[in-house]
């Protein structure tokens, strides 16, 4: 089984551990949002509050894509509107200037709630 996880840059910058293609990971995630700009099955979320339905996901990193957001002003607020993709072999902290994250394909996925 495979799963696509979006790992936001600020989560990595705060307290994330670098990971690379081929690594085995064990992450706390929440379900993805069908209406989100970046389509994914789950979001990595080390800071989920006690009310969020959390999933414990393990798997092997098969692919990493760096997602760099472009923003537009809506109702006086800058929101991500499009993004640029860049393939990576390794994800680590402080790789972004203007926000984004890592879109990560996991294989051999086990999900526990």
């Amino acid at each position: 089984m495979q799963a696509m996880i979006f790992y936001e840059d600020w989560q990595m910058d705060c307290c994330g551990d670098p990971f690379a293609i081929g690594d085995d990971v064990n992450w706390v995630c929440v379900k993805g949002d069908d209406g989100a700009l970046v389509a994914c099955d789950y979001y990595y979320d080390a800071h989920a509050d006690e009310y969020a339905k959390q999933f414990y996901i393990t798997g092997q990193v098969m692919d990493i894509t760096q997602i760099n957001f472009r923003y537009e002003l809506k109702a006086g607020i800058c929101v991500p509107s499009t993004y640029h993709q860049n393939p990576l072999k390794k994800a680590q902290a402080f790789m972004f200037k203007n926000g984004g994250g890592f879109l990560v394909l996991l294989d051999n996925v086990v999900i526990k709630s």
Side-chain angles (χ1 to χ4, degrees), residues 15-110:
C15 53
D17 292 319
F19 57 90
I21 292 175
D23 286 354
D24 291 322
V25 295
N26 184 11
W27 291 339
V28 176
C29 297
V30 296
K31 193 73 174 140
D33 179 2
D34 291 336
L37 179 61
V38 178
C40 63
D41 301 310
Y42 297 91
Y43 292 97
Y44 172 85
D45 195 346
H47 301 88
D49 65 32
E50 63 189 75
Y51 302 106
K53 172 81 172 156
Q54 296 178 356
F55 298 90
Y56 301 91
I57 298 178
T58 60
Q60 183 178 38
V61 177
M62 300 303 293
D63 188 60
I64 306 168
T65 302
Q66 183 180 24
I67 303 293
N68 294 291
F69 289 134
R70 292 187 181 107
Y71 294 87
E72 66 180 46
L73 194 60
K74 286 187 178 179
I77 300 171
C78 284
V79 294
S81 60
T82 61
Y83 58 87
H84 171 75
Q85 300 180 57
N86 182 39
L88 296 174
K89 293 183 188 242
K90 182 176 183 177
Q92 58 193 30
F94 304 105
M95 295 183 72
F96 297 86
K97 291 185 180 179
N98 296 317
F102 307 100
L103 191 57
V104 183
L105 177 63
L106 298 182
D107 197 15
N108 301 317
V109 171
V110 176

